Amino acid sequence: MACSRFEYVKSFEQDDSILPNVWIVIRIDGKKFHKFSKTHDFEKPNDENALNVMNAAATAVMQEFRDIVLAYGQSDEYSFVFRKETAAFKRRSAKLLTYVTSLFSSSYVMQWSKWMNLPLAYAPCFDGRVVLYPSEQNLKDYLSWRQADVHVNNLYNTAFWKLVLEKGLTNQQAEAKLRGTFSADKNELLFQEFGINYNNLPAMYRKGTILLRKRVILGEKSRQAVVPLHEDLISSQFWKEHTEILGKYV
Amino acid sequence: MACSRFEYVKSFEQDDSILPNVWIVIRIDGKKFHKFSKTHDFEKPNDENALNVMNAAATAVMQEFRDIVLAYGQSDEYSFVFRKETAAFKRRSAKLLTYVTSLFSSSYVMQWSKWMNLPLAYAPCFDGRVVLYPSEQNLKDYLSWRQADVHVNNLYNTAFWKLVLEKGLTNQQAEAKLRGTFSADKNELLFQEFGINYNNLPAMYRKGTILLRKRVILGEKSRQAVVPLHEDLISSQFWKEHTEILGKYV
Amino acid sequence: MACSRFEYVKSFEQDDSILPNVWIVIRIDGKKFHKFSKTHDFEKPNDENALNVMNAAATAVMQEFRDIVLAYGQSDEYSFVFRKETAAFKRRSAKLLTYVTSLFSSSYVMQWSKWMNLPLAYAPCFDGRVVLYPSEQNLKDYLSWRQADVHVNNLYNTAFWKLVLEKGLTNQQAEAKLRGTFSADKNELLFQEFGINYNNLPAMYRKGTILLRKRVILGEKSRQAVVPLHEDLISSQFWKEHTEILGKYV
Amino acid sequence: MACSRFEYVKSFEQDDSILPNVWIVIRIDGKKFHKFSKTHDFEKPNDENALNVMNAAATAVMQEFRDIVLAYGQSDEYSFVFRKETAAFKRRSAKLLTYVTSLFSSSYVMQWSKWMNLPLAYAPCFDGRVVLYPSEQNLKDYLSWRQADVHVNNLYNTAFWKLVLEKGLTNQQAEAKLRGTFSADKNELLFQEFGINYNNLPAMYRKGTILLRKRVILGEKSRQAVVPLHEDLISSQFWKEHTEILGKYV
């Protein structure tokens, strides 16, 4: 048949199966979302609805791929954790990576108009990467790293945009004022100059969003659903309360 | 700072740079598009508008990533060829793979309503893979493999759906009738029973779609544009006419 | 300088650093040792001195690479376990793999004449592979797999060679006699026909050789040395007695 | 059987097949050969016999692995080029890498006493790496890079050791005298101060050693043999004379 003399090219595909018994984390990240958020007029420092689009897209991914035990999102990034034992797509790295990235991307567009007023000006784009963690401690530290990141960035951004939007500082002036300050300084500035207790701001902005599978009551029946939490996952308390994450198949 | 004791987890990311001086092909493929095409009532054997959505999404990818010198699509798949010397994203495999897959996916949703009547019932999903080809011959053979595939499938599908839709055969009966037939037999069947000269059917169905960058005249100016072709790329003629594909940066 | 226009070729070397926090096992295996053992007239079923050459070569490897916490050898193979946290050679896979394989190979030749009467007829050759184990259980199971292997093989070989060398059976006859027998059958055969209690045979033949680092008394001083053991490492007892293996740097 | 519950660990071995249709270069390098050459009293700047040991070991490797079309050695390193189409060991990277490195290492020890007076004080060790080259030009440039390297180093070393051994300069004084000089300066120095025409020194020192397979006449018969050459492989002349290197199977 005509095919056959070309079919040898299939042998150039290389096996990319992931080592067994390690946690598989896939993190997606918005490409040039600074520009994207400007074009679409995101509220500063946080646009609740834009975050809702992210969360809705991530929820769609978790509903499709049952071996994801936890997702964690903040800003324009989302991490998906596949359970250590997953055999989904034979643990082929590119398959797992692209299915998650693709479904997230198409779902983001599908969800957009449910939350946002402006129409999408152009197609959003996300990169994705696979990172492997052998131990529970490594996995917890990974998630803690991302949550510590949102804390640092959000405290800064909250102070920055207050200075710009309410005190009329230029971006450069606000930057200069915050340069070299510690968390305590920024908390104090928010409280003294704007009467804001940072810890009272919405948890979604301060902690990001954790998606877990939970059994929920719907009318008289219970079923599993993906639920969003905005808790402190750096604390050991979180892991005691949600033991299913590190357990076997949920 | 709070971050630092967790930051070690970044060291678990592994380098995935692609070998220099090889053609990089990224092929994306619809996930469960058999069901997807049923849900969205695609015309059989080919839905012109659904193919237009694919082509439009692929065009968006080529417009964004300038180092793609050719794209080739058929059915629910599309291949993108990065020039051998590309340094885009430092040739990091996951970056190239996910940017292409993500932008294709989000663009597919964005383009949908321009061509299709039914609204999207759910988010489409594509997988993607990276395949490397060291020589021009390997690359040509790869593309020929995909084009030979569309020929074989489309001839079969054309005959199959004619039998089902016009002769009222069941799927099983049509399958049985075509089992073991050669191309010549199917050509003959189409001609004898349906008066169809297969070679006169639209080239897009028979050859798939090749996207190339060409300088086009727009009014009084010329500019580069992504143009669709439905030519025979298995022939040497094609490569003589479009020397820019295997040339240096276009 | 003349060099520079060629130096770009260095960029074709690809990073092969091993994922952090996993056990690194390097197993070397004799190439065509069936023929090699015949050429050099190894005693059957076990040649004590040939095993001593293997053990001496492995000891040389452990003395050179301090991050190897355990080595396990049997027949013509040896496994070396690097501690999970090793940073030796930046965890570059090819470096670790080839240093171990190379030093084992050259040491094997160096040690040969200390134990063997016949001179080496030709240079021996070993292949090597890297296998990664994320958990302690995986690592123990790996070593247990190798030790279970020596048990099965050695019991068979012991019975086989007794039948051939003492009862005068041909190889084919011995094979036929043992086909389909269980361990219990072979134990029984050895006892009934040859008066041999398999469990009284030398432990090195039945269990293989485990190399560990131990503090030993030499005269009035103590120092660390590589010591050979022939214990049952499938039992939990072994891991309780030698806690340093899974501990931190020894 | 006892084995089976442990056998799952075999699934942790990962596929490492090399991309088809690329040149496979394996380069081995002496570990700490500066110290090794001191311990064994190598002549400076070049020890003819020590190089002969290297060449003999490399010849043994080429005789064993028939798909190596060329080897190139200088100082304490040797590169082996497998033909692009090789299917040896299913192109498994670790197999190719360790077989070459192991056989080179054991052969080095085997060959030692044929050339050297001092006995080996300890086992030598080599690292190995795999580098892939997609095009003939890349491969030629790789070999040119290594030969340019030997030129630069050997000219320097020749001048350096003349100054130290014949003029009685200390190492530091010789280094200072050569710092910042060009090739022409060092040629001139050798000629003016020592009456040496660098180009008349043995080609093995200036060009390294190229091993090729050639048909040679032995008595009345001809057979294939591995022959050493000390030619300039940077020139196009070399590739015209030895077309079999880039040809099909030799």
Side-chain angles (χ1 to χ4, degrees):
Chain A
M1 199 188 61
C3 278
S4 55
R5 71 180 230 257
F6 304 125
E7 253 177 319
Y8 79 92
V9 298
K10 212 172 146 39
S11 68
F12 286 64
E13 296 189 16
Q14 298 193 277
D15 181 46
D16 65 347
S17 310
I18 290 171
L19 186 70
N21 202 26
V22 295
W23 300 95
I24 301 171
V25 173
I26 291 175
R27 180 167 82 247
I28 64 98
D29 233 307
K31 182 166 184 275
K32 295 188 188 159
F33 255 51
H34 189 71
K35 180 189 155 210
F36 184 83
S37 66
K38 269 199 175 162
T39 302
H40 296 93
D41 227 357
F42 283 13
E43 270 180 42
K44 290 296 180 183
N46 293 289
D47 188 302
E48 188 183 348
N49 284 318
L51 291 173
N52 284 337
V53 178
M54 291 290 288
N55 293 341
T59 300
V61 170
M62 273 190 82
Q63 280 166 343
E64 179 73 18
F65 303 108
R66 310 290 302 174
D67 279 2
I68 298 174
V69 291
L70 176 152
Y72 176 69
Q74 54 123 323
S75 182
D76 63 342
E77 72 168 53
Y78 238 101
S79 298
F80 298 89
V81 180
F82 282 81
R83 66 194 186 86
K84 239 167 37 166
E85 301 81 6
T86 186
F89 310 109
K90 296 183 185 164
R91 295 177 80 87
R92 285 156 68 190
S93 185
K95 282 268 179 196
L96 290 165
L97 175 60
T98 52
Y99 275 148
V100 166
T101 308
S102 171
L103 187 56
F104 189 92
S105 304
S106 58
S107 298
Y108 189 94
V109 179
M110 300 277 288
Q111 293 291 333
W112 179 268
S113 61
K114 294 186 194 162
W115 307 94
M116 308 298 282
N117 292 320
L118 283 179
L120 262 177
Y122 56 87
C125 184
F126 298 86
D127 81 340
R129 76 194 67 197
V130 176
V131 198
L132 309 179
Y133 291 109
S135 75
E136 290 186 3
Q137 193 56 53
N138 295 150
L139 177 65
K140 288 176 183 176
D141 288 347
Y142 169 79
L143 294 166
S144 299
W145 177 51
R146 300 322 303 145
Q147 194 169 63
D149 183 78
V150 74
H151 173 73
V152 168
N153 290 335
N154 190 58
L155 180 55
Y156 180 93
N157 290 339
T158 303
F160 178 90
W161 287 105
K162 279 286 164 193
L163 292 169
V164 169
L165 299 176
E166 300 194 5
K167 293 277 178 193
L169 271 63
T170 63
N171 286 11
Q172 288 69 27
Q173 288 169 330
E175 237 178 271
K177 194 174 171 79
L178 294 174
R179 193 170 301 136
T181 58
F182 294 101
S183 290
D185 304 323
K186 286 185 271 277
N187 273 313
E188 191 63 16
L189 179 147
L190 285 170
F191 190 68
Q192 295 297 341
E193 303 202 19
F194 304 97
I196 289 174
N197 184 335
Y198 181 74
N199 289 324
N200 292 343
L201 293 180
M204 178 163 73
Y205 302 164
R206 290 181 296 110
K207 298 294 178 194
T209 298
I210 302 157
L211 299 181
L212 295 181
R213 296 183 197 284
K214 293 287 179 188
R215 195 147 283 280
V216 295
I217 310 297
L218 292 165
E220 297 193 355
K221 292 190 288 184
S222 87
R223 39 164 291 200
Q224 214 187 49
V226 173
V227 299
L229 302 171
H230 311 291
E231 299 180 4
D232 180 355
L233 57 70
I234 299 179
S235 74
S236 61
Q237 187 55 29
F238 175 83
W239 299 96
K240 280 179 201 144
E241 270 171 34
H242 308 288
T243 50
E244 79 278 11
I245 304 170
L246 302 177
K248 297 293 173 178
Y249 208 116
V250 291
Chain B
M1 199 189 60
C3 279
S4 56
R5 69 180 231 258
F6 304 126
E7 255 178 317
Y8 79 92
V9 298
K10 213 173 146 39
S11 68
F12 287 64
E13 296 187 16
Q14 298 194 277
D15 182 46
D16 64 348
S17 310
I18 289 171
L19 187 69
N21 202 25
V22 295
W23 300 95
I24 302 171
V25 173
I26 291 176
R27 180 168 80 247
I28 64 99
D29 233 307
K31 182 168 185 273
K32 296 187 189 159
F33 255 52
H34 190 71
K35 179 190 154 209
F36 184 83
S37 67
K38 269 199 175 161
T39 303
H40 296 93
D41 228 357
F42 283 15
E43 270 180 42
K44 291 297 179 183
N46 293 287
D47 188 301
E48 187 183 349
N49 284 317
L51 291 173
N52 285 336
V53 178
M54 291 290 288
N55 293 341
T59 300
V61 169
M62 271 190 84
Q63 281 166 342
E64 179 72 18
F65 302 107
R66 309 292 301 176
D67 279 2
I68 298 174
V69 291
L70 175 153
Y72 176 70
Q74 54 125 321
S75 181
D76 63 343
E77 73 169 52
Y78 239 102
S79 297
F80 298 90
V81 180
F82 281 81
R83 65 192 187 88
K84 238 167 41 164
E85 301 82 4
T86 186
F89 310 108
K90 296 181 185 165
R91 295 177 80 88
R92 285 154 68 190
S93 183
K95 283 268 179 196
L96 290 165
L97 175 59
T98 53
Y99 275 148
V100 165
T101 310
S102 170
L103 187 57
F104 188 92
S105 304
S106 58
S107 299
Y108 189 95
V109 180
M110 299 278 289
Q111 295 290 333
W112 180 268
S113 62
K114 295 184 193 162
W115 307 95
M116 307 299 283
N117 292 321
L118 282 180
L120 262 177
Y122 56 87
C125 184
F126 299 86
D127 80 340
R129 77 193 67 199
V130 176
V131 198
L132 308 179
Y133 291 108
S135 75
E136 290 186 4
Q137 194 55 53
N138 294 151
L139 176 65
K140 288 177 183 175
D141 288 347
Y142 169 78
L143 294 166
S144 298
W145 177 50
R146 300 322 302 145
Q147 194 169 63
D149 183 78
V150 74
H151 173 74
V152 169
N153 290 335
N154 190 59
L155 180 55
Y156 180 92
N157 290 338
T158 302
F160 178 90
W161 287 105
K162 280 285 164 194
L163 292 168
V164 170
L165 300 175
E166 301 194 6
K167 295 276 179 194
L169 271 63
T170 64
N171 287 9
Q172 287 70 26
Q173 288 169 331
E175 238 177 88
K177 193 173 171 81
L178 295 173
R179 194 171 300 137
T181 59
F182 294 102
S183 291
D185 304 323
K186 285 185 272 279
N187 274 313
E188 191 64 15
L189 178 147
L190 285 171
F191 190 69
Q192 295 297 342
E193 303 203 20
F194 303 97
I196 289 175
N197 184 335
Y198 180 75
N199 289 325
N200 292 342
L201 293 181
M204 179 163 72
Y205 303 164
R206 290 181 295 109
K207 298 293 178 193
T209 298
I210 302 158
L211 300 181
L212 294 182
R213 297 183 196 284
K214 293 285 179 189
R215 194 148 283 281
V216 294
I217 309 296
L218 292 165
E220 298 193 356
K221 291 190 288 183
S222 87
R223 38 164 293 198
Q224 213 185 51
V226 173
V227 301
L229 303 171
H230 312 291
E231 301 180 2
D232 180 355
L233 56 71
I234 299 179
S235 73
S236 61
Q237 188 55 29
F238 175 83
W239 300 95
K240 279 179 203 144
E241 270 171 34
H242 308 288
T243 51
E244 77 280 10
I245 303 170
L246 301 177
K248 296 293 171 178
Y249 207 116
V250 291
Chain C
M1 198 189 63
C3 278
S4 55
R5 70 180 229 260
F6 304 125
E7 254 178 317
Y8 79 91
V9 297
K10 212 173 147 37
S11 69
F12 286 65
E13 296 189 15
Q14 299 195 277
D15 182 46
D16 65 348
S17 309
I18 289 171
L19 186 69
N21 201 26
V22 295
W23 300 96
I24 302 170
V25 173
I26 291 175
R27 180 167 80 247
I28 63 100
D29 234 306
K31 183 168 185 272
K32 297 187 188 158
F33 255 51
H34 189 70
K35 179 189 154 209
F36 184 82
S37 66
K38 271 200 173 161
T39 302
H40 296 93
D41 227 356
F42 283 13
E43 271 180 41
K44 291 296 181 186
N46 292 289
D47 188 301
E48 187 183 349
N49 284 318
L51 291 173
N52 285 337
V53 178
M54 292 290 287
N55 293 342
T59 300
V61 170
M62 271 189 86
Q63 280 166 343
E64 180 72 18
F65 302 107
R66 310 290 303 175
D67 279 2
I68 298 173
V69 291
L70 176 152
Y72 177 70
Q74 54 124 322
S75 182
D76 63 342
E77 72 169 52
Y78 239 101
S79 298
F80 298 90
V81 181
F82 282 80
R83 65 193 186 87
K84 238 165 40 163
E85 302 83 4
T86 187
F89 309 109
K90 297 183 184 164
R91 296 177 79 87
R92 286 155 68 191
S93 184
K95 282 267 179 196
L96 290 165
L97 175 60
T98 53
Y99 275 148
V100 166
T101 309
S102 171
L103 188 56
F104 188 92
S105 304
S106 58
S107 298
Y108 189 94
V109 180
M110 299 278 288
Q111 294 291 334
W112 179 269
S113 62
K114 293 185 194 162
W115 307 95
M116 307 299 282
N117 292 322
L118 283 179
L120 263 176
Y122 57 86
C125 184
F126 298 87
D127 81 341
R129 76 193 67 199
V130 176
V131 198
L132 308 179
Y133 290 108
S135 75
E136 290 185 3
Q137 194 56 53
N138 295 151
L139 177 65
K140 288 177 183 176
D141 288 347
Y142 170 78
L143 293 165
S144 298
W145 177 50
R146 301 322 302 144
Q147 196 169 62
D149 183 78
V150 74
H151 172 75
V152 168
N153 290 335
N154 190 59
L155 180 55
Y156 181 92
N157 291 338
T158 302
F160 179 89
W161 288 105
K162 279 286 164 195
L163 291 168
V164 169
L165 299 176
E166 300 194 6
K167 293 276 178 197
L169 271 63
T170 65
N171 287 10
Q172 288 70 27
Q173 288 169 330
E175 237 177 271
K177 192 172 172 82
L178 294 173
R179 195 171 298 137
T181 58
F182 294 101
S183 291
D185 304 324
K186 287 187 270 279
N187 273 313
E188 192 63 16
L189 178 148
L190 284 170
F191 190 70
Q192 295 296 342
E193 302 203 20
F194 304 96
I196 288 174
N197 184 335
Y198 181 74
N199 289 325
N200 293 342
L201 293 179
M204 180 163 73
Y205 303 164
R206 291 180 294 110
K207 298 294 178 194
T209 298
I210 303 157
L211 299 181
L212 295 182
R213 297 183 197 285
K214 293 286 180 189
R215 195 148 284 280
V216 294
I217 309 296
L218 291 165
E220 298 193 356
K221 292 189 287 184
S222 87
R223 38 165 292 198
Q224 212 185 52
V226 173
V227 300
L229 302 171
H230 311 291
E231 300 180 4
D232 180 355
L233 56 70
I234 300 178
S235 73
S236 61
Q237 189 54 30
F238 175 82
W239 299 95
K240 279 178 202 144
E241 270 171 34
H242 308 288
T243 51
E244 78 278 11
I245 304 170
L246 301 177
K248 295 295 173 178
Y249 206 118
V250 289
Chain D
M1 199 188 62
C3 276
S4 55
R5 71 181 230 258
F6 305 125
E7 254 177 318
Y8 79 91
V9 298
K10 212 172 146 40
S11 68
F12 287 65
E13 296 188 15
Q14 299 194 276
D15 182 46
D16 65 348
S17 310
I18 289 171
L19 186 69
N21 202 26
V22 295
W23 300 95
I24 302 171
V25 173
I26 291 175
R27 180 168 82 247
I28 65 98
D29 233 307
K31 183 168 185 272
K32 295 188 189 158
F33 256 51
H34 190 71
K35 181 190 153 207
F36 184 82
S37 67
K38 269 197 176 165
T39 302
H40 296 94
D41 228 356
F42 283 14
E43 269 180 43
K44 291 296 179 184
N46 292 288
D47 188 302
E48 187 184 348
N49 283 318
L51 291 173
N52 285 336
V53 178
M54 291 290 288
N55 293 342
T59 301
V61 169
M62 272 190 84
Q63 280 166 343
E64 180 73 18
F65 302 108
R66 309 291 302 176
D67 278 2
I68 298 174
V69 291
L70 175 152
Y72 176 69
Q74 54 124 321
S75 182
D76 62 342
E77 73 170 51
Y78 238 101
S79 298
F80 299 89
V81 180
F82 282 80
R83 66 193 186 87
K84 240 167 36 165
E85 301 82 5
T86 186
F89 311 109
K90 296 183 185 165
R91 294 177 81 88
R92 286 156 69 191
S93 183
K95 283 267 179 195
L96 290 165
L97 174 60
T98 52
Y99 275 148
V100 166
T101 309
S102 171
L103 187 56
F104 188 92
S105 303
S106 58
S107 298
Y108 189 95
V109 179
M110 299 278 288
Q111 294 290 334
W112 180 268
S113 62
K114 294 186 192 161
W115 307 94
M116 307 299 283
N117 292 322
L118 283 180
L120 262 177
Y122 56 87
C125 184
F126 298 86
D127 80 341
R129 76 193 67 200
V130 176
V131 198
L132 308 179
Y133 291 109
S135 75
E136 289 186 4
Q137 193 55 54
N138 294 152
L139 177 65
K140 288 177 183 174
D141 288 348
Y142 169 78
L143 294 166
S144 298
W145 177 50
R146 301 322 302 145
Q147 194 170 63
D149 183 78
V150 74
H151 173 74
V152 168
N153 290 335
N154 190 58
L155 180 55
Y156 181 93
N157 290 339
T158 302
F160 178 89
W161 286 106
K162 279 286 165 194
L163 291 169
V164 169
L165 299 175
E166 301 194 6
K167 292 278 178 192
L169 271 62
T170 64
N171 287 10
Q172 288 69 28
Q173 288 169 330
E175 238 177 272
K177 193 173 171 83
L178 295 173
R179 194 170 301 137
T181 58
F182 294 101
S183 291
D185 305 322
K186 285 186 270 280
N187 273 313
E188 191 63 15
L189 179 148
L190 284 171
F191 190 69
Q192 294 297 340
E193 302 202 20
F194 303 97
I196 289 174
N197 184 335
Y198 181 74
N199 289 325
N200 292 342
L201 293 180
M204 178 162 73
Y205 303 164
R206 290 181 295 111
K207 298 293 178 194
T209 299
I210 302 158
L211 300 180
L212 295 181
R213 297 183 196 283
K214 293 286 179 189
R215 194 147 285 279
V216 294
I217 310 296
L218 291 166
E220 299 193 355
K221 292 190 289 183
S222 86
R223 40 166 291 203
Q224 212 185 51
V226 173
V227 300
L229 302 171
H230 311 291
E231 300 180 4
D232 180 355
L233 56 71
I234 299 178
S235 73
S236 60
Q237 189 55 30
F238 176 83
W239 300 94
K240 280 179 203 145
E241 270 171 34
H242 307 288
T243 50
E244 79 279 10
I245 304 170
L246 302 177
K248 295 292 173 180
Y249 207 117
V250 289

